[in-house]
């Protein structure tokens, strides 16, 4: 789809001619498609769109194909060229002509056809808009010809791909559960707003005599309005402001309590460090790294005294 989107922007066509190679592994009848890359056509003849007929021969740039295949082979040694892809509704004659050009790279190249405009059947069955075809030889009127037969396939996805698809389907991880909760609240408020506008419009029509009075509906509206809190009442506003101030004060007290706890932890650590320094100062020989008068530096930072009035060596 990325290849098709870029070609649409470059050529300004709704369905430009798209061609690419399929890389993967083949084990008997089982074929696994792992990666793809774009193919280049000869500059001589380039179809205008994917519905081009087989009147003109479409030639693949085999030098580009070989170079790109070898480059992928160096990075992914286990991947081989197993087929090609294009954009069309069904395979046509020029697809068969293209198929003959890929036989030199693999004996049975697989064709993957992408249909950008989904049919009603695909929408009903919720199937992806592409099909896989395998070539086969058909004998008709004592002549052999190559035809494409639709092949069954299944999509295998890893856990990372499923998470990415789910993330994209939900609109991106803009807030996680909070974003989902806010979107639900927004939808509920919008629905309530729309219904209120409908009721107001009905009342206005009744007042203008453009709608028939329904006393049951009017009584229900009157009961609903009476059940609403008197938000413009003076006592209600005073009580609301008092509760608001209490909530803010509680929040401030919680913040101050947390700050006090952090300050207490810092003070405790400071006291532990200062007490440790004092204990080292009171040790014989003074604090580590300092010398008293008459001492010399010894191994490990200990001070040694020299001979003084007949004293012996000592620490």
């Amino acid at each position: 789809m990325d290849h098709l989107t870029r070609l649409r922007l470059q050529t300004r066509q709704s369905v430009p001619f798209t061609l690419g190679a399929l890389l993967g592994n083949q084990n008997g009848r089982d074929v696994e498609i792992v990666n793809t890359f774009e193919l280049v056509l000869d500059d001589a003849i380039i179809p205008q769109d994917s519905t081009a007929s087989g009147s003109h021969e479409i030639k693949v740039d085999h030098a580009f194909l070989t170079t790109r295949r070898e480059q992928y082979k160096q990075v992914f040694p286990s991947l081989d060229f197993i087929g090609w892809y294009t954009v069309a509704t069904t395979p046509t004659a020029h697809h068969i002509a293209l198929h003959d050009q890929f036989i030199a790279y693999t004996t049975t190249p697989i064709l993957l056809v992408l249909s950008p405009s989904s049919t009603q059947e695909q929408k009903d069955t919720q199937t992806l808009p592409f099909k896989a075809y395998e070539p086969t030889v058909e004998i008709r009127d004592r002549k052999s010809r190559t035809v494409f037969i639709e092949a069954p396939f299944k999509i295998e996805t890893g856990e990372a791909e499923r998470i990415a698809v789910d993330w994209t389907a939900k609109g991106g991880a803009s807030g996680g559960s909070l974003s989902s909760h806010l979107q639900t609240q927004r939808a509920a408020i919008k629905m309530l707003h729309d219904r209120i506008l409908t009721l107001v419009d009905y009342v206005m029509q009744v007042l203008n005599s453009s709608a028939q009075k329904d006393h049951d509906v009017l009584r229900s509206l009157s009961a609903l309005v009476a059940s609403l809190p008197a938000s413009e009442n003076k006592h209600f506003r005073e009580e609301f402001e008092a509760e608001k101030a209490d909530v803010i004060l509680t929040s401030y007290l919680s913040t101050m309590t947390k700050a006090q706890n952090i300050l207490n932890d810092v003070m405790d650590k400071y006291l532990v460090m200062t007490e440790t320094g004092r204990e080292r100062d009171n040790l014989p020989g003074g604090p580590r790294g300092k010398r008293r008068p008459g001492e010399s530096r010894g191994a490990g930072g200990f001070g040694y005294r020299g001979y003084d009035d007949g004293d012996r060596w000592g620490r």
Side-chain angles (χ1 to χ4, degrees):
M1 289 298 295
D2 178 66
H3 186 190
L4 176 61
T5 303
R6 281 187 283 104
L7 286 180
R8 281 178 174 176
L9 296 176
Q10 293 172 2
T11 61
R12 300 190 180 276
Q13 299 175 3
S14 58
V15 187
F17 185 79
T18 309
L19 188 65
L22 303 176
L23 300 178
N25 303 311
Q26 183 171 359
N27 184 12
R29 296 283 298 173
D30 296 331
V31 178
E32 181 182 10
I33 301 174
V34 179
N35 205 346
T36 64
F37 64 85
E38 303 174 18
L39 290 179
V40 178
L41 301 178
D42 283 344
D43 296 335
I45 300 176
I46 298 180
Q48 295 297 323
D49 51 37
S50 62
T51 60
S53 62
S55 57
H56 299 286
E57 184 180 1
I58 303 173
K59 294 184 179 181
V60 179
D61 190 340
H62 294 278
F64 175 84
L65 172 57
T66 304
T67 303
R68 185 57 59 89
R69 185 187 62 171
E70 294 300 328
Q71 291 174 349
Y72 270 90
K73 196 71 175 177
Q74 294 177 3
V75 182
F76 307 101
S78 60
L79 299 184
D80 298 321
F81 178 88
I82 59 173
W84 54 292
Y85 69 87
T86 187
V87 175
T89 305
T90 56
T92 59
H94 74 280
H95 292 133
I96 296 178
L98 280 171
H99 163 78
D100 295 336
Q101 301 182 42
F102 294 116
I103 295 179
Y105 304 98
T106 180
T107 55
T108 56
I110 300 297
L111 171 60
L112 192 66
V113 176
L114 174 65
S115 302
S117 56
S118 301
T119 62
Q120 188 62 36
E121 180 182 359
Q122 291 174 341
K123 295 180 181 179
D124 295 339
T125 57
Q126 295 184 352
T127 56
L128 295 176
F130 62 83
K131 295 181 179 180
Y133 295 89
E134 59 179 346
T136 184
V137 177
E138 180 184 61
I139 299 177
R140 178 178 294 183
D141 298 332
R142 298 181 179 180
K143 295 182 180 180
S144 61
R145 63 171 186 170
T146 302
V147 295
F148 289 107
I149 298 178
E150 185 174 350
F153 66 90
K154 64 179 181 179
I155 299 176
E156 296 182 357
T157 57
E159 186 65 23
E161 293 175 325
R162 286 193 290 269
I163 293 174
V165 171
D166 183 67
W167 179 84
T168 305
K170 292 182 179 179
S174 57
S177 58
L178 176 61
S179 176
S180 176
H181 175 71
L182 293 177
Q183 289 178 359
T184 303
Q185 294 294 329
R186 180 181 180 278
I189 294 174
K190 184 178 183 300
M191 183 181 297
L192 177 62
H193 182 262
D194 293 340
R195 293 184 178 182
I196 291 175
L197 291 179
T198 302
L199 294 176
V200 171
D201 183 63
Y202 170 73
V203 173
M204 294 299 297
Q205 291 181 6
V206 170
L207 293 177
N208 297 332
S209 301
S210 58
Q212 186 178 1
K213 290 185 179 180
D214 190 332
H215 295 284
D216 292 336
V217 174
L218 294 177
R219 280 193 293 269
S220 299
L221 286 175
S222 177
L224 177 62
V225 173
S227 64
L228 296 176
S231 58
E232 299 301 328
N233 187 278
K234 179 180 178 181
H235 299 289
F236 171 79
R237 178 58 56 182
E238 293 178 353
E239 183 179 355
F240 174 78
E241 294 294 341
E243 291 186 0
K244 179 181 178 181
D246 292 341
V247 171
I248 295 175
L249 180 60
T250 303
S251 176
Y252 288 163
L253 289 175
S254 175
T255 304
M256 292 177 63
T257 303
K258 291 180 180 179
Q260 187 66 29
N261 290 333
I262 295 174
L263 181 60
N264 289 337
D265 293 338
V266 173
M267 291 297 299
D268 291 341
K269 293 177 180 179
Y270 174 76
L271 292 175
V272 170
M273 293 177 64
T274 54
E275 289 295 333
T276 304
R278 291 174 182 175
E279 292 177 357
R280 290 180 179 177
D281 290 342
N282 295 330
L283 291 176
R288 184 176 181 180
K290 294 183 180 180
R291 297 196 298 269
R292 292 183 178 180
E295 293 181 346
S296 60
R297 176 71 65 181
F302 294 98
Y304 290 88
R305 294 194 301 271
Y307 285 105
D308 186 11
D309 297 334
D311 291 342
R312 293 178 300 174
W313 281 94
R315 288 189 293 180

